[in-house]
């Protein structure tokens, strides 16, 4: 286990193929207390195990492709939609597996995961009651519903980051501060960014402004 701990996921998988004894070590849950992923594609590889020993999970996607996922759905062209369709549910589906298999999770970091939803984070907070750290960065579908879930189910939470989540509001942040005053809350730029607005909402706002001008 000590030797395996120095290897990345692919190297562990390769080493495990050399003999039955090392395969047993690869399958030992104690080896998988920490998992780091650098793109949604890595979540589909068969080079790791999910289990109750998992304490620290990080999915951080730093790529130009992240910008495509961050475009509002109704503004995407066919090429952009096709790209997103390939992995739209990948992170959410993976996190649902974490909910079912990893009840002892202590820390979750998500960055650039533009398709992660409020519902998924809510389920995670419910199923991982020991979660102490939740860091969300540039997760554009996260809204005040996630903040509300934190106030309801984040009893163990000590650190909450919602940086660059453009659909978070100042009202939602104030509610977290009120309900969970002991949580270290950070929301760099979030409440000051321009939130998503559906076309029908924009049309209604334009009509309302025109009426005011006429009056």
């Amino acid at each position: 286990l000590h030797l395996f701990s120095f290897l990345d996921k692919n190297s562990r998988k390769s080493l495990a193929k050399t003999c039955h004894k090392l395969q047993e070590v690869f399958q030992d849950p104690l080896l998988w207390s920490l998992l780091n992923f650098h793109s949604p594609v890595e979540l589909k590889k068969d080079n790791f195990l999910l289990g109750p020993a998992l304490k620290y999970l990080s999915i951080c996607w730093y790529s130009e492709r992240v910008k495509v996922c961050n475009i509002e759905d109704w503004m995407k062209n066919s090429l952009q939609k096709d790209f997103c369709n390939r992995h739209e549910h990948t992170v959410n589906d993976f996190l649902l597996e974490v909910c079912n298999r990893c009840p002892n999770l202590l820390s979750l970091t998500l960055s650039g995961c533009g398709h992660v939803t409020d519902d998924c984070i809510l389920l995670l907070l419910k199923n991982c009651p020991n979660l102490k750290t939740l860091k969300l960065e540039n997760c554009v579908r996260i809204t005040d519903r996630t903040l509300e879930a934190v106030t309801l189910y984040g009893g163990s939470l000590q650190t909450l980051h919602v940086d660059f989540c453009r659909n978070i509001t100042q009202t939602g942040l104030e509610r977290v501060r009120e309900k969970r005053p002991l949580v270290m809350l950070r929301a760099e730029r979030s409440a000051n960014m321009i939130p998503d607005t559906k076309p029908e909402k924009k049309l209604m706002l334009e009509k309302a402004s025109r009426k005011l001008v006429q009056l």
Side-chain angles (χ1 to χ4, degrees):
L1 280 172
H2 182 64
L3 292 172
F4 264 80
S5 69
F6 290 95
L7 304 176
D8 60 31
K9 295 186 290 295
N10 285 332
S11 298
R12 290 176 181 182
K13 184 68 175 180
S14 298
L15 185 58
K17 292 179 179 179
T18 60
C19 75
H20 293 296
K21 187 63 178 178
L22 292 178
Q23 178 68 24
E24 290 177 11
V25 179
F26 178 84
Q27 294 174 343
D28 192 321
L30 293 176
L31 184 63
W32 304 101
S33 62
L34 182 150
L35 282 172
N36 293 317
F37 299 94
H38 303 289
S39 77
V41 175
E42 292 185 15
L43 302 177
K44 296 182 177 182
K45 293 183 178 180
D46 186 26
N47 61 359
F48 62 90
L49 291 181
L50 283 181
L54 182 63
K55 300 290 181 63
Y56 306 94
L57 173 61
S58 171
I59 306 172
C60 295
W61 193 21
Y62 300 111
S63 167
E64 285 296 313
R65 296 179 178 182
V66 172
K67 294 180 181 178
V68 176
C69 298
N70 287 347
I71 299 172
E72 297 176 44
D73 290 341
W74 58 273
M75 291 183 65
K76 292 174 183 172
N77 58 39
S78 57
L79 193 65
Q80 292 166 335
K81 287 179 180 178
D82 180 61
F83 170 77
C84 287
N85 286 338
R86 297 176 201 169
H87 66 265
E88 182 174 3
H89 303 290
T90 302
V91 178
N92 279 319
D93 290 347
F94 179 81
L95 290 177
L96 290 178
E97 289 293 318
V98 172
C99 289
N100 294 328
R101 301 186 190 183
C102 312
N104 300 312
L105 191 68
L106 297 178
S107 174
L108 173 65
T109 299
L110 301 177
S111 180
C113 300
H115 299 295
V116 170
T117 64
D118 293 316
D119 290 336
C120 194
I121 299 299
L122 185 148
L123 278 175
L124 194 101
L125 287 166
K126 280 185 176 181
N127 288 278
C128 303
N130 300 319
L131 193 69
K132 297 182 184 299
T133 300
L134 177 60
K135 296 181 179 180
L136 307 173
E137 179 187 48
N138 204 15
C139 297
V140 295
R141 293 195 181 185
I142 295 300
T143 71
D144 285 0
R145 288 185 59 216
T146 285
L147 300 182
E148 181 67 21
V150 166
T151 65
L152 295 173
Y153 307 108
S156 299
L157 212 60
Q158 298 175 356
T159 300
L160 173 65
H161 292 179
V162 283
D163 298 336
F164 300 95
C165 297
R166 66 174 180 250
N167 291 301
I168 295 290
T169 69
Q170 194 64 47
T171 302
L173 294 172
E174 289 300 327
R175 186 169 179 80
V176 173
R177 293 188 178 100
E178 177 188 346
K179 297 290 185 180
R180 299 285 179 191
L182 298 179
V183 172
M184 292 179 61
L185 177 62
R186 194 178 81 181
E188 186 177 348
R189 303 259 183 110
S190 293
N192 297 322
M193 298 177 77
I194 300 173
D196 296 345
T197 306
K198 292 183 179 179
E200 57 267 24
K201 288 185 180 180
K202 287 187 176 181
L203 188 61
M204 290 172 65
L205 288 172
E206 288 176 3
K207 288 181 178 179
S209 63
R210 287 172 190 167
K211 285 183 180 179
L212 286 173
V213 170
Q214 290 173 356
L215 291 172

